[in-house]
Amino acid sequence: MFFLPSELKADAASRWSVLLEAMEHAGLVPPVLDTMNGVIEQALVFSDFATQQLVRDPRLLGELITSGDLHVAYGPEGMRDRLAHICKGQGHASPSQTDASEVSGEVSQETLMQALRIFRRREMVRIFLRDICGWSDLDQTLADLSALADVAIAAALETIYRRGCHTWGAPRDADGQPLQLVVLGLGKLGANELNFSSDVDLMFAYPSEGETAGGDKGVETNEAFFTRLCRKLIQAIGASTAHGFVFRVDTRLRPYGEAGPLAMTFDRLEDYYQDQGREWERYAMIKARVVAGDQAVGRRLLDRLKPFVFRRYLDYGAFESLRDMKERIAAEVRSKGLQDNIKMGPGGIREIEFFGQMFQLIRGGVEPSLQIRPIRKVLAVLAGENYIPESVGRVMDGAYLFLRKVENRLQEWADRQIHSLPTDGAGRLRLAAAMGFEDWDGFKGVLDGHRHQVHLHFNELLAPVDGGGASDPQKEVVAKLAALWQGVLGEGQGEALLEQIGYLNADAGLQQISSLRKDRVLQTLSRIGRERLNRLVPLLLLAAGKAEQADVVLGRVFELIRSIQRRTSYLALLIENPAVITHLVELAGASPWIASFLGRHPVLLDELLDVRTLYRPPQRGELEDDLRQRLAGVDEDDLEYRMEVLRVFKQVNVLRVAASDIMHVLPLMKVSDHLSDIAEVVVSEVVRLCFEQLVAKHGQPVCRIDRGHCERGFAVVAYGKLGGLELGYGSDLDLVFLHAAEPGETRGAGRNMDNAQFFSRLGQRVLHMFTTHTGAGILYEADMRLRPSGDSGMLVSHVNGFAAYQREDAWTWEHQALIRARFISGDPAVRSLFDAIRLEILTRPRDSGALRQEVAGMRARLRQEHHEKASHDFDIKQDPGGIVDIEFLVQYLVLNNAHRHPEIVRWTDNVRLLQALNEAGILDDETAFRLRRAYLIYRATAHRLNLRQQSARVGNDRFQRPRRFIIDVWNRFLSPPKIAFPSSPEV
């Protein structure tokens, strides 16, 4: 709400007097303003434009008041209704309500232009009064201005298009289908953020080439038709007449600028952006929106252009172009003296928009939540996702609100596109009062405070990285390392330099540098790629020198560089973020596996930016929320992108687990729990997606269990490491698919199919989603050999058939595997039945002797398969006294005793199974404790060896006592045959 100082009250009274006189001259009764407390009378002091329009049309104010429109936010629909009313008043039907037969070319361009300008005058006065009187907030004001432009452009286009079709015939594609123009709004119009006296940035496109057909004057090409249409549209909207203009039109953002064609086909547009599109054009297209024409076809065009705007990776390669754009902004401020310009000056609106859109360009391709247009929503996402501190988001949003209000107040005075602060006393007092301040100094102080904060944060963006943030002495070292990398330093100088920064084996470091310099791929890098590598390598050399085994770590990091050097945006990410280099060196020093993992999936390098998330793997609920948000902005039909999102989600979270694991933040069992949670969340989402796709095509399958209905009738059962909650980083998923289909066909779609076939197709699709290679790799390798009848069995088994197989045909080793089986995704009704089947099978009485013989025999066959005659090492997993002996021992004890103690089959992991056997009295305390301890130590050791990319073998002198104990326990329960402890290499 404005504040009216005494100096402005006389002007307000004078303006009101002039308006009343105009009303009386027109024979109108002045409106009653008691209910509005005279605010309209005072409001006119802030707008010469509104005063002039009301005096020009004395009926307008009374009509706005009596209609109630000053207190209604009626949006585009309401505006179309009001334009229709004005059009009827001009002697012709509304463009939006008239069919082609009624137009017949009789509506002249001049009549259309006049109606649009009268409509614009009414709405602009209404919007001004609602804004200045506080009846509309900023977002609503900007939305109303944008809706006004949308409705005016659409109405003009519709009328002009119909006139053109009457004259030349409708433009058609190669199949004879009629085509319409697509009008894209860019900039503030595209984002629904139009200010009071703004240009509208427009781009025109049409679907394809072709010719018109059916007109009075013959045939012309689509290009000629749409070009003429665009020119007439620009004139209808932008030309100044006795009634003013509607909106000034700017088409310079189109391909090739003013030299380019006014309208282009979709194919030509896409080709241009793919081949020639520049960074500033990506920036311009972020806010593109279909404002008129064929909306559905226009949205398909934007979908085609989305890969240009939002790269499907973290586009740190855009840093240099964005930094150049930022420098040009600063240079323009300096050269043009824009200090008092609230849009383009320091701390102005443009800097806030650049701040938000920079993140959109870099991260928007992998963060669908950033593929939005309004800058306030962008700032909210950035703060909500922790890309910027919440305090910075509040500062930028508050400044944006204030500056956009100032912008509107400036432009509402004379309906001119100005952004500079007034220099005269009256203008300053009027602006301050319009913003609710008593004087200029109070207003200017708040304005300067906002601009100072904005400029501060703007300056921090894209700050050039020099030597990884190094001090002056370190910058000198980085410069020397650059000379070493480029072969300028002699070998002796290079060796001394590496020793100076921490390399104990400088000669090995020099060999690593020489090997990378001679790499064949490096020789084929682009100029930009080579420049980035030249900047990056010295920073890596300096960081690796701080590691314990500098030359070894350097080799691992260089292997990663070899993997990503063609994808130079990732080189830019490392250059721009010294913290990433620090974490990379630290993790590579701890594990060669993680360096290789990052090399295979370089998109994960971005995760090294934030230590808060890097070393804190999310819990199950957080994983589900994260995946839901990642997929929320992805088109349901874009299966390839959904697969990519799923893979990146999995890799990001595996990296967080691995980083926490390597840095000893998580114990081993928690590592497996987190990896199992990731797998289960991914499996559930893949099943959901595939199920819904099949239902959309073939209808809902009919399922039933024990005469009760089940909703989806599908379940995924995990065996092995996932079933036993012992998943590792490279583990396959041992899965079994179950269904509960009734005989018959699916229901609810045109292409129904057999219910059982539906689930077979579902299983195939799920496996396809897991194993298909994309740019982000695969999701998981899936092993289905544990299903009934193995590779020769059905991919998806009916749950009743699964039960029959387990009761009648399954081998003992399959029942051993069932101990580690658990439901992980699908229908709760199928889960209940599976759990009942598992309990029944595992708790059936067994012949102890036969069971002992079968388990021991299977173990002997496995041992024979994995035996290495020449090896004198101890295989932690397969050798006598190792992990597999403990697992078989536990499985034997469970199967032999579960009929007396059914509670022991509750668990699927070996640690809790050992505890359950102890609690049931099957194992004594010492035996259970020592087996459990040995099992955990073995797993931890194998896990560490795996992270070092080494086999699970150690010297034969390791773990002597636990091995002897495990063999003794084995012999106690499973002899004969007894196994001997290999006390010497010959045994």
Side-chain angles (χ1 to χ4, degrees), residues 407-444:
E407 178 184 44
N408 275 343
R409 300 295 193 267
L410 285 170
Q411 297 181 1
E412 285 165 353
W413 170 247
D415 192 17
R416 289 177 51 217
Q417 192 178 26
I418 60 171
H419 293 92
S420 295
L421 297 172
T423 56
D424 62 297
R428 288 182 168 183
L429 180 62
R430 186 171 54 245
L431 176 59
M435 290 296 295
F437 291 85
E438 295 184 9
D439 55 43
W440 174 255
D441 289 342
F443 162 74
K444 190 64 162 52

Side-chain angles (χ1 to χ4, degrees), residues 103-401:
V103 174
S104 302
E106 81 274 21
V107 178
S108 69
Q109 182 92 351
E110 292 74 20
T111 303
L112 170 68
M113 292 169 66
Q114 181 178 343
L116 288 173
R117 282 152 180 77
I118 293 171
F119 167 62
R120 190 257 187 187
R121 179 174 66 210
R122 178 192 191 275
E123 290 304 316
M124 291 293 277
V125 171
R126 169 184 166 270
I127 292 169
F128 158 72
L129 289 173
R130 280 174 51 76
D131 179 41
I132 198 70
C133 296
W135 300 327
S136 172
D137 63 18
L138 176 68
D139 288 339
Q140 185 60 61
T141 298
L142 302 183
D144 278 353
L145 289 164
S146 303
L148 170 59
D150 287 0
V151 170
I153 294 167
L157 174 62
E158 189 171 356
T159 299
I160 296 168
Y161 176 80
R162 285 177 175 168
R163 285 176 54 82
C165 290
H166 178 77
T167 304
W168 297 99
R172 300 181 183 275
D173 63 15
D175 297 325
Q177 296 300 311
L179 303 176
Q180 294 186 41
L181 187 70
V182 170
V183 183
L184 299 181
L186 309 180
K188 289 186 170 65
L189 175 59
N192 284 301
E193 297 169 339
L194 210 60
N195 45 285
F196 193 81
S197 188
S198 177
D199 294 350
V200 289
D201 294 301
L202 301 181
M203 185 183 295
F204 305 112
Y206 55 98
S208 65
E209 300 291 3
E211 293 181 338
T212 62
D216 293 342
K217 291 190 177 182
V219 174
E220 68 176 354
T221 64
N222 287 352
E223 181 178 13
F225 179 93
F226 284 118
T227 299
R228 181 185 300 106
L229 180 66
C230 293
R231 290 191 180 121
K232 287 182 176 292
L233 176 62
I234 292 170
Q235 182 184 23
I237 298 298
S240 290
T241 71
H243 294 277
F245 63 94
V246 186
F247 285 97
R248 293 173 291 270
V249 179
D250 190 337
T251 62
R252 291 174 296 175
L253 293 178
R254 69 186 188 269
Y256 307 107
E258 291 181 300
L262 201 53
M264 294 176 69
T265 64
F266 289 4
D267 286 344
R268 287 184 65 191
L269 264 179
E270 188 174 16
D271 290 344
Y272 170 84
Y273 286 121
Q274 284 183 349
D275 298 338
Q276 303 179 51
R278 290 157 289 181
E279 218 63 47
W280 70 262
E281 289 176 296
R282 290 180 62 203
Y283 187 87
M285 289 294 291
I286 283 178
K287 296 186 177 183
R289 175 175 63 89
V290 183
V291 298
D294 193 324
Q295 292 280 339
V297 171
R299 285 192 291 272
R300 289 200 289 273
L301 170 62
L302 290 179
D303 286 340
R304 289 174 63 175
L305 299 182
K306 185 182 287 186
F308 165 69
V309 182
F310 298 111
R311 307 278 166 78
R312 287 188 174 179
Y313 51 84
L314 289 160
D315 190 15
Y316 281 93
F319 261 102
E320 291 158 30
S321 298
L322 290 168
R323 187 176 285 123
D324 183 57
M325 288 171 62
K326 178 188 169 189
E327 287 302 315
R328 287 204 301 271
I329 291 172
E332 184 180 9
V333 171
R334 290 191 298 268
S335 64
K336 295 185 178 180
L338 299 173
Q339 298 300 317
D340 285 336
N341 189 301
I342 63 159
K343 177 182 178 181
M344 295 183 290
I349 295 166
R350 181 169 59 174
E351 290 189 359
I352 300 174
E353 291 175 334
F354 185 89
F355 182 94
Q357 289 178 256
M358 184 207 76
F359 285 95
Q360 288 182 279
L361 287 182
I362 293 171
R363 308 190 65 91
V366 296
E367 295 291 350
S369 60
L370 284 171
Q371 295 177 15
I372 52 179
R373 301 181 184 95
I375 189 62
R376 294 190 67 197
K377 291 184 178 179
V378 172
L379 293 171
V381 170
L382 292 176
E385 298 293 333
N386 293 318
Y387 297 131
I388 61 174
E390 188 176 343
S391 58
V392 173
R394 285 197 304 270
V395 165
M396 300 299 271
D397 184 66
Y400 183 79
L401 276 171

